[in-house]
Amino acid sequence: MYRSHSCGELRASHITQEVTLAGWVQKSRDKGFMIWVDLRDRYGITQLIFDEERTPKDVFEKAKALGREFVIQVKGSVIEREAKNSKMPTGDIEILVTELTLLNASLLPPFTIEDDTDGGEDIRMKYRYLDIRRNPVKNSLMFRHKVSMEVRKYLSAQDFIEVETPYLIKSTPEGARDFVVPSRMNEGQFYALPQSPQTFKQLLMVGGMDKYFQIVKCFRDEDLRADRQPEFTQIDCEMAFVEQEDILNVFEGLTRHLLSEIKGIELEKFPRMTYDHAMKTYGNDKPDIRFGMEFGELNEVAQHKEFGIFNSAELVVGIAVPGGATYTRKEIDKLVDWVRRPQVGALGMVYVKCNEDGTFKSSVDKFYDQDDLAKWAEVTGAKAGDLICVLSGNTNKVRAQLSALRMEMATRLGLRNPAEFAPLWVIDFPLLELDEETGHYHAMHHPFTSPKPGQLELLDTNPGDVKANAYDLVLNGNEIGGGSIRIHDKEMQATMFKHLGFTEEEAKAQFGFLMDAFQYGAPPHGGLAFGLDRLVAILGGQETIRDFIAFPKNNSGRDVMIDAPATIDEQQLKELSIKLDLH
Amino acid sequence: MYRSHSCGELRASHITQEVTLAGWVQKSRDKGFMIWVDLRDRYGITQLIFDEERTPKDVFEKAKALGREFVIQVKGSVIEREAKNSKMPTGDIEILVTELTLLNASLLPPFTIEDDTDGGEDIRMKYRYLDIRRNPVKNSLMFRHKVSMEVRKYLSAQDFIEVETPYLIKSTPEGARDFVVPSRMNEGQFYALPQSPQTFKQLLMVGGMDKYFQIVKCFRDEDLRADRQPEFTQIDCEMAFVEQEDILNVFEGLTRHLLSEIKGIELEKFPRMTYDHAMKTYGNDKPDIRFGMEFGELNEVAQHKEFGIFNSAELVVGIAVPGGATYTRKEIDKLVDWVRRPQVGALGMVYVKCNEDGTFKSSVDKFYDQDDLAKWAEVTGAKAGDLICVLSGNTNKVRAQLSALRMEMATRLGLRNPAEFAPLWVIDFPLLELDEETGHYHAMHHPFTSPKPGQLELLDTNPGDVKANAYDLVLNGNEIGGGSIRIHDKEMQATMFKHLGFTEEEAKAQFGFLMDAFQYGAPPHGGLAFGLDRLVAILGGQETIRDFIAFPKNNSGRDVMIDAPATIDEQQLKELSIKLDLH
């Protein structure tokens, strides 16, 4: 062992002890007759002292040559610091060094190994091994480990079994794009990497394994939006002989356990909200309920006046921004510009200032009198001093636009406190979703989700109205988990595939094994999957997942550190019976 | 919830309680006026009783129609059994059923869901979800979970951090064949699936994460030998600021913990043996030391007589098979046939019977007298009643042959007791291994393994003699883990690549990121990886890993249940910029 103690361990009680430490030179201050070195390892920083009088001459000379990030081993005695540093756990002591071994030198790192580094994202990714030395990344990875361990302990204690499902499976064109893997031994054929272990966990239920979980990598070959990764980690769970209520309770228990163990926060029973209510009230199926600004639908009170834009709109809807009545004309114009950005896409915004004196001043005073506007205030819950922002248009679009505005205003107003946790179950999701481009319905959750009892008939007449036994767990405006009660009946699964546009042959070729399995005593079952990357980021109080992933990829799916993907040689291609077909 | 209790839970103390159970019909006995059904779930079996007098008529009729593996829910009261079954935990009670709900019917399963099933390997793999209902598979998967959890708990308690490393990495032609993944977003380029997270765990050490582990899937596209899988699981570990001794101690501690927690077996400090000693004494670098039959090298006492075969042999070596002196001529002939099988490859076998009266009878009495043979007995440790089996030839080959014979004889003699655990560290492995086909040396462990101090000079003159800081953990004749102290110096790593036949450009293209990392303060480090599939199988007392993997692949790398790999459509190929190139 290269050390007797870590660099985060020594305290006043160790004074006079002889110790051996090893680590990295964080920084070095050379006063000529005295040198201080901050020695860092995973556990902390300890100050080393070399002085002309007390340190052997050769050691002193060696200390002079130390640069940032050099790896050294030192022996010495723990002494009391003259100037104690109460901000450091080891701030009461320092090490008077008697022996110094250089274990490895270092080039000058391309960015500073500090909490606030001078390195940009790109350089930090290229030298990720140096980035990981920084506390924000190191602590995030350790935090992730802690969350994963707690998940495993909690579920294991409840008789869940972690089962490893295969990574080399079969491609299914349904849903997102698969990553595929050519098979050398099966010429012309390909494995696919799993987008989730969905069918396997259902087969485990058929196999009687009744409480399954797995923390597992999943893969999606999608064009990457910011903060998405081609490989991501799920906490994947499934239970048999349960109803939706049982699943909500178990995983609410898990989430509450994590918040309690890891954040020290005790939460009451999680609120529940239907999908329809969430869309109507927040314009969003993953509402952040840490703050209000709930939607007020204004059709009744704003239409049938002479304002044509509202009269022709499917939905007129507003929110009351707290304290917004004081915004200047310029500030409001900027807000209008903000909602008109292509990312939001509104055509314009109507506003009403709710003055402190009870009067209203709006951008549509020409069409609405004070009584009209007072009704708007009532519907949106606006108080004196608030600003009512109103958008109008196609229902789905305007809800999304106003939701974006609501979130933006909450951020500006500091209402999205990362130390506050507001979980929410959103339930009763629609079974199907209309693809506006193709005019076809596809499964909102996935094709294995069961419709609510008695709604199967609607599939033919009003497919968009069918509700599913599907639910999401939302935390602070992020979907952290989602799942459903599954179909466990062969006929119903076949009906579902038919409605999703599969021919009988396609359904059999892709999912025949699952439908076969349903014929051999499949129990009722359902489950849920959490996105671990997102979950740990939110629990860690962060908005971005990247620091919680040891070696993330960039938006082109590249690992810039190892420079992957890369070309492979002709021999490899030949063995795999493929060749390049560049466009 | 579909049940108030599991099928393994009810005891005499529950008698008179009303309960709800759900599960599968294991079997049903219909006596006309009375029907017994064994109801099974993951936790056990509970007997249900329906009788003409006490059971509602409609329930009784429904019970008559139940077939094997039907999924049902029943309500009823716990009553005392007339004929108790002390072999079943629930054998004191049965359930007098008042309500019966058929949750799902079942076709007749293609094999019996019994511990000793009538289903062969192929059919069980095709219907793996039914196979998993059988105790031997179900218990193996639960056992695997338990082992994994204990590994995680033990290492976490010792400050190890589980870090997830990426699955989409870069192909390196060195070593085994990679599975590759075409990148759609990076045309003409490929990811590779990791054969191990080797370079990433080393980068984590450079990143200061000083104690890392991960239970992780790894991939090798090799022609599959029996009991090998293209995807397999490793317990991958790495530590910084350690020497070999530290690593052996930590992972000996882990192994001892597993044996203690899971098997209730307390072991002393594990013995250690050099690679050279293992090869000389057992002909094998993973000797099973649960039994003796150590090799006796007979060159000195058997050469320079008139037996030409021995005189021209590089090595003459024998083992003493306990009690073998009583073998008949026919039995011995069969043994000679056995060693001549192509899988073993010996040309013949010389034997010596050590008679109870102290005399010897050998197949080479023409060349050797009693005194000669007494010396053979001394060297091989043969006692009266034993049979000395002697092979000769090329050292490497004859050692492998005699090792195979030693294992076979131990199996026949019942000396390989699966309930006995004999761990062993094999240390001081050679750094390089001669590829007899190409005449080139390649890394025995991998190119990142460090040579023993002071042996670097030998690389140029006697590369085969260089010993490495490399070690294997052997359990009952199986390598369950292996690792090494790594190179952490850029120059030494470059030297190593050169000796392994890499050009400077190749080394840079494939491993430049690692050598770059070594320039920024890489600490001394080393590690080890356990093969989890094998480890759980051995701990579970089994020779084969297949029942410890939920969804294994067959020897052609196929999943016969989901029928993967499979063809993918033209559109997918096109998006990936590849086309088929069938031979």
Side-chain angles (χ1 to χ4, degrees):
Chain A
M1 200 66 91
Y2 281 77
R3 55 190 169 191
S4 62
H5 296 78
S6 81
C7 292
E9 196 175 349
L10 297 171
R11 300 287 182 275
S13 60
H14 294 92
I15 287 169
T16 74
Q17 283 192 25
E18 293 296 311
V19 298
T20 308
L21 300 183
W24 288 265
V25 173
Q26 175 75 23
K27 64 179 177 201
S28 167
R29 278 163 298 153
D30 185 346
K31 297 279 177 197
F33 59 98
M34 205 170 272
I35 304 163
W36 289 274
V37 168
D38 277 358
L39 189 68
R40 187 196 68 236
D41 66 11
R42 187 183 123 195
Y43 311 90
I45 288 181
T46 298
Q47 181 166 293
L48 313 178
I49 181 165
F50 304 79
D51 89 40
E52 237 172 9
E53 286 180 20
R54 293 177 290 174
T55 305
K57 193 172 161 52
D58 60 321
V59 173
F60 193 78
E61 288 308 313
K62 274 201 270 181
K64 273 187 180 299
L66 293 176
R68 269 168 52 200
E69 301 305 317
F70 278 43
V71 189
I72 59 172
Q73 182 190 42
V74 294
K75 293 182 200 231
S77 49
V78 183
I79 61 174
E80 189 171 2
R81 263 210 224 184
E82 279 189 33
K84 297 200 173 47
N85 181 345
S86 63
K87 286 183 195 147
M88 287 174 69
T90 62
D92 286 349
I93 58 94
E94 59 193 355
I95 311 298
L96 180 63
V97 177
T98 52
E99 287 181 41
L100 167 63
T101 308
L102 178 65
L103 298 175
N104 216 341
S106 175
L107 298 181
L108 192 68
F111 51 86
T112 56
I113 311 298
E114 304 277 358
D115 292 5
D116 285 317
T117 180
D118 57 358
E121 175 93 357
D122 290 349
I123 192 92
R124 292 197 290 114
M125 287 303 147
K126 182 163 165 58
Y127 296 90
R128 183 64 163 176
Y129 44 87
L130 297 179
D131 202 24
I132 290 172
R133 289 186 195 162
R134 295 172 52 244
N135 285 322
V137 182
K138 178 192 79 180
N139 292 339
S140 297
L141 296 178
M142 289 171 59
F143 184 78
R144 182 185 181 111
H145 167 65
K146 195 173 167 192
V147 173
S148 299
M149 269 310 286
E150 284 303 326
V151 169
R152 288 190 158 104
K153 280 188 202 163
Y154 184 85
L155 292 175
S156 286
Q158 302 220 2
D159 275 337
F160 280 79
I161 302 295
E162 184 162 15
V163 180
E164 295 175 49
T165 52
Y167 278 81
L168 296 173
I169 66 166
K170 190 156 79 168
S171 188
T172 53
E174 166 78 358
R177 239 184 248 103
D178 286 320
F179 282 105
V180 299
V181 181
S183 167
R184 183 180 52 85
M185 287 204 281
N186 300 271
E187 208 188 6
Q189 301 191 349
F190 293 75
Y191 302 100
L193 300 179
Q195 296 185 28
S196 92
Q198 182 63 32
T199 49
F200 288 96
K201 69 176 174 175
Q202 292 193 241
L203 292 172
L204 285 171
M205 295 305 109
V206 178
M209 201 49 85
D210 81 9
K211 288 180 177 181
Y212 146 91
F213 82 103
Q214 188 182 190
I215 299 185
V216 61
K217 273 281 175 78
C218 301
F219 304 85
R220 264 179 218 173
D221 184 13
E222 291 298 297
D223 297 320
L224 298 175
R225 285 180 276 160
D227 221 29
R228 283 267 195 132
Q229 290 282 319
E231 50 178 303
F232 54 97
T233 306
Q234 284 193 352
I235 308 169
D236 191 49
C237 307
E238 196 81 2
M239 300 175 77
F241 300 116
V242 290
E243 286 147 347
Q244 174 171 310
E245 187 63 28
D246 305 311
I247 294 187
L248 300 195
N249 287 336
V250 169
F251 295 100
E252 183 166 324
L254 169 63
T255 311
R256 201 182 281 120
H257 172 80
L258 292 178
L259 282 161
S260 167
E261 277 297 311
I262 289 174
K263 307 297 293 184
I265 292 171
E266 305 298 331
L267 287 179
E268 300 296 306
K269 199 161 166 49
F270 296 179
R272 296 182 188 182
M273 189 182 290
T274 64
Y275 171 87
D276 287 347
H277 184 80
M279 293 307 290
K280 195 177 166 73
T281 314
Y282 299 96
N284 198 309
D285 62 2
K286 44 178 201 257
D288 190 337
I289 57 168
R290 283 176 296 182
F291 56 93
M293 289 197 264
E294 295 180 7
F295 285 17
E297 297 195 348
L298 300 168
N299 291 33
E300 257 179 56
V301 295
Q303 288 181 332
H304 315 300
K305 301 279 163 171
E306 277 158 39
F307 188 46
I309 293 176
F310 279 6
N311 289 345
S312 63
E314 192 183 358
L315 178 67
V316 182
V317 60
I319 54 171
V321 178
T326 59
Y327 289 7
T328 62
R329 178 62 197 253
K330 205 171 155 190
E331 285 172 315
I332 292 178
D333 283 348
K334 272 188 153 173
L335 219 51
V336 175
D337 289 344
W338 191 89
V339 299
R340 279 177 157 161
R341 294 159 68 223
Q343 298 94 316
V344 181
L347 293 174
M349 184 183 94
V350 165
Y351 69 85
V352 184
K353 284 186 176 185
C354 306
N355 297 320
E356 293 291 350
D357 63 4
T359 63
F360 302 97
K361 174 81 193 80
S362 84
S363 56
V364 285
D365 281 351
K366 199 167 130 193
F367 304 104
Y368 300 96
D369 62 22
Q370 292 285 309
D371 284 350
D372 291 329
L373 298 177
K375 282 182 198 150
W376 295 20
E378 198 189 324
V379 173
T380 57
K383 292 181 192 62
D386 291 355
L387 178 76
I388 307 174
C389 300
V390 182
L391 304 180
S392 64
N394 164 281
T395 299
N396 289 343
K397 283 185 184 160
V398 79
R399 280 178 173 168
Q401 291 157 4
L402 192 62
S403 172
L405 178 63
R406 176 178 175 268
M407 295 297 273
E408 173 68 14
M409 295 318 294
T411 303
R412 293 188 192 180
L413 293 167
L415 301 175
R416 305 194 67 201
N417 173 9
E420 186 189 342
F421 291 92
L424 169 73
W425 286 109
V426 178
I427 58 173
D428 298 353
F429 270 79
L431 184 68
L432 304 172
E433 196 173 32
L434 185 66
D435 185 328
E436 310 228 332
E437 271 181 43
T438 64
H440 289 143
Y441 282 94
H442 60 81
M444 190 153 190
H445 194 62
H446 54 49
F448 315 108
T449 297
S450 63
K452 289 218 171 265
Q455 301 215 327
L456 205 56
E457 306 76 70
L458 284 174
L459 267 181
D460 289 316
T461 54
N462 300 61
D465 289 348
V466 180
K467 291 290 191 282
N469 288 314
Y471 33 82
D472 275 358
L473 182 55
V474 173
L475 186 57
N476 294 1
N478 295 279
E479 180 208 325
I480 58 163
S484 64
I485 298 296
R486 326 298 184 186
I487 296 167
H488 65 281
D489 176 81
K490 186 186 175 173
E491 295 312 317
M492 191 188 287
Q493 188 65 68
T495 303
M496 189 58 54
F497 283 133
K498 203 180 102 197
H499 277 278
L500 294 171
F502 286 74
T503 66
E504 227 170 283
E505 291 67 40
E506 284 168 346
K508 192 173 156 54
Q510 288 173 38
F511 299 111
F513 61 95
L514 186 66
M515 291 195 288
D516 284 351
F518 285 171
Q519 293 184 292
Y520 290 98
H525 62 284
L528 176 140
F530 289 89
L532 180 65
D533 306 298
R534 179 76 46 205
L535 177 64
V536 291
I538 295 171
L539 291 178
Q542 302 290 325
E543 289 279 315
T544 165
I545 62 176
R546 212 163 273 196
D547 278 354
F548 293 85
I549 298 171
F551 300 102
K553 293 190 172 56
N554 74 9
N555 284 351
S556 314
R558 294 199 70 82
D559 181 327
V560 296
M561 179 186 67
I562 66 169
D563 196 22
T567 54
I568 60 176
D569 63 32
E570 279 303 319
Q571 180 59 25
Q572 267 177 298
L573 290 173
K574 203 174 162 189
E575 285 188 343
L576 297 170
S577 305
I578 56 173
K579 54 185 173 188
L580 297 184
D581 179 28
L582 305 180
H583 305 136
Chain B
M1 200 67 90
Y2 281 78
R3 55 189 170 191
S4 62
H5 295 79
S6 81
C7 293
E9 195 174 350
L10 298 171
R11 300 287 183 275
S13 61
H14 295 91
I15 287 169
T16 75
Q17 283 192 24
E18 293 297 312
V19 298
T20 307
L21 300 183
W24 287 264
V25 173
Q26 174 75 24
K27 64 180 177 198
S28 167
R29 277 161 299 152
D30 185 344
K31 296 281 176 195
F33 59 97
M34 205 170 270
I35 303 163
W36 287 275
V37 168
D38 276 358
L39 189 67
R40 187 196 68 236
D41 67 10
R42 188 184 122 193
Y43 311 90
I45 287 180
T46 298
Q47 181 166 291
L48 313 178
I49 182 165
F50 304 80
D51 91 40
E52 236 171 9
E53 286 179 20
R54 292 178 291 175
T55 305
K57 193 171 160 50
D58 61 319
V59 174
F60 193 76
E61 288 308 313
K62 275 201 270 183
K64 273 187 180 302
L66 293 177
R68 270 169 49 202
E69 300 305 317
F70 278 42
V71 188
I72 59 172
Q73 180 190 44
V74 294
K75 292 181 199 232
S77 50
V78 184
I79 61 174
E80 188 171 5
R81 263 211 223 183
E82 279 190 32
K84 296 200 172 46
N85 181 346
S86 62
K87 286 182 195 149
M88 287 172 70
T90 63
D92 286 349
I93 58 94
E94 58 193 355
I95 310 298
L96 180 63
V97 178
T98 52
E99 286 181 42
L100 168 62
T101 308
L102 179 64
L103 298 175
N104 216 342
S106 175
L107 298 180
L108 192 68
F111 51 87
T112 56
I113 311 298
E114 305 275 359
D115 292 5
D116 285 318
T117 181
D118 57 358
E121 176 93 357
D122 290 350
I123 191 94
R124 292 197 291 114
M125 286 303 146
K126 183 165 165 54
Y127 295 90
R128 184 64 163 177
Y129 45 86
L130 297 179
D131 202 25
I132 290 172
R133 290 187 194 160
R134 296 171 51 244
N135 285 323
V137 182
K138 178 192 78 178
N139 291 339
S140 297
L141 296 179
M142 288 170 59
F143 184 78
R144 182 185 181 112
H145 167 64
K146 196 174 166 192
V147 172
S148 298
M149 269 309 286
E150 284 302 327
V151 169
R152 288 190 159 105
K153 281 188 203 163
Y154 184 86
L155 293 176
S156 286
Q158 301 219 1
D159 276 336
F160 280 81
I161 302 294
E162 184 161 16
V163 180
E164 296 175 48
T165 53
Y167 278 80
L168 296 173
I169 65 166
K170 189 155 81 168
S171 187
T172 54
E174 165 77 1
R177 238 184 248 103
D178 285 321
F179 283 105
V180 299
V181 181
S183 166
R184 182 180 53 85
M185 287 204 280
N186 300 274
E187 209 188 6
Q189 301 191 348
F190 293 75
Y191 301 99
L193 300 179
Q195 297 185 29
S196 91
Q198 182 62 34
T199 49
F200 288 97
K201 70 177 174 176
Q202 292 193 242
L203 292 173
L204 285 171
M205 296 305 111
V206 177
M209 202 49 88
D210 78 12
K211 290 180 176 182
Y212 145 92
F213 82 102
Q214 188 183 190
I215 299 186
V216 62
K217 272 283 175 75
C218 300
F219 304 86
R220 265 179 218 173
D221 183 14
E222 291 298 297
D223 297 320
L224 298 174
R225 286 180 276 161
D227 221 30
R228 282 268 194 131
Q229 290 282 318
E231 49 178 304
F232 54 97
T233 307
Q234 284 193 354
I235 309 169
D236 191 48
C237 308
E238 195 81 2
M239 300 173 77
F241 299 116
V242 291
E243 285 147 350
Q244 174 170 310
E245 186 64 27
D246 304 311
I247 294 186
L248 300 195
N249 287 335
V250 169
F251 295 101
E252 183 166 324
L254 170 63
T255 311
R256 200 183 280 120
H257 172 80
L258 292 178
L259 283 160
S260 167
E261 276 297 312
I262 289 173
K263 308 298 293 185
I265 292 171
E266 305 298 331
L267 287 179
E268 300 295 307
K269 198 160 166 50
F270 296 179
R272 297 183 188 181
M273 188 182 289
T274 65
Y275 171 87
D276 287 348
H277 184 80
M279 293 307 291
K280 195 177 166 76
T281 314
Y282 299 97
N284 197 309
D285 62 3
K286 44 178 199 256
D288 190 339
I289 57 169
R290 283 176 296 183
F291 56 93
M293 289 197 264
E294 295 180 7
F295 286 16
E297 297 196 348
L298 300 167
N299 290 33
E300 257 181 54
V301 295
Q303 287 181 332
H304 315 297
K305 299 280 164 172
E306 277 160 37
F307 188 47
I309 293 176
F310 279 7
N311 289 345
S312 63
E314 191 183 358
L315 179 67
V316 182
V317 59
I319 55 171
V321 177
T326 59
Y327 289 6
T328 62
R329 177 63 196 252
K330 207 172 153 189
E331 285 173 314
I332 292 178
D333 283 349
K334 273 188 153 175
L335 219 49
V336 175
D337 289 344
W338 191 90
V339 298
R340 279 177 157 161
R341 295 160 67 224
Q343 298 95 316
V344 181
L347 294 173
M349 183 183 95
V350 166
Y351 68 85
V352 184
K353 285 185 174 185
C354 306
N355 297 321
E356 293 291 351
D357 63 4
T359 63
F360 301 97
K361 174 81 192 83
S362 85
S363 57
V364 286
D365 281 351
K366 201 166 129 193
F367 304 105
Y368 299 95
D369 62 22
Q370 293 285 310
D371 285 348
D372 291 330
L373 298 177
K375 284 183 198 148
W376 295 21
E378 200 189 323
V379 173
T380 58
K383 293 181 191 60
D386 291 354
L387 178 76
I388 307 175
C389 299
V390 182
L391 303 181
S392 63
N394 164 282
T395 299
N396 289 342
K397 283 186 183 158
V398 78
R399 279 178 173 169
Q401 292 156 4
L402 192 62
S403 172
L405 178 64
R406 176 178 175 269
M407 294 298 273
E408 173 69 15
M409 296 317 295
T411 302
R412 293 188 192 181
L413 292 167
L415 300 176
R416 305 193 67 199
N417 173 9
E420 186 189 339
F421 293 91
L424 169 73
W425 286 108
V426 178
I427 58 174
D428 298 352
F429 271 78
L431 184 68
L432 303 172
E433 196 173 33
L434 185 65
D435 184 328
E436 310 228 332
E437 271 181 44
T438 63
H440 290 143
Y441 281 94
H442 59 81
M444 190 153 190
H445 193 62
H446 55 49
F448 316 108
T449 298
S450 64
K452 289 217 172 266
Q455 300 215 326
L456 204 58
E457 307 74 69
L458 283 174
L459 266 182
D460 288 316
T461 54
N462 301 60
D465 289 348
V466 180
K467 289 291 190 282
N469 287 314
Y471 33 82
D472 276 357
L473 182 55
V474 173
L475 185 58
N476 294 1
N478 295 279
E479 180 208 325
I480 57 163
S484 64
I485 298 296
R486 325 299 183 186
I487 296 167
H488 65 281
D489 176 82
K490 185 184 176 175
E491 294 312 316
M492 191 187 288
Q493 188 65 69
T495 303
M496 188 58 54
F497 283 132
K498 203 182 102 196
H499 277 278
L500 294 170
F502 286 74
T503 66
E504 226 169 283
E505 291 68 37
E506 285 167 347
K508 191 174 157 53
Q510 289 171 40
F511 299 110
F513 61 95
L514 186 66
M515 290 195 288
D516 284 351
F518 286 171
Q519 294 184 291
Y520 290 98
H525 62 284
L528 176 141
F530 288 89
L532 181 65
D533 306 297
R534 179 76 47 203
L535 177 65
V536 292
I538 295 170
L539 291 177
Q542 302 291 324
E543 288 279 314
T544 165
I545 62 175
R546 212 164 273 195
D547 278 353
F548 293 84
I549 298 171
F551 299 102
K553 293 191 172 57
N554 73 10
N555 283 353
S556 314
R558 293 198 71 82
D559 181 327
V560 296
M561 179 185 69
I562 65 169
D563 196 21
T567 55
I568 61 175
D569 63 32
E570 279 302 319
Q571 180 58 27
Q572 267 177 299
L573 291 173
K574 204 173 161 189
E575 285 188 343
L576 297 170
S577 305
I578 56 173
K579 54 186 173 188
L580 297 184
D581 179 27
L582 305 181
H583 305 139

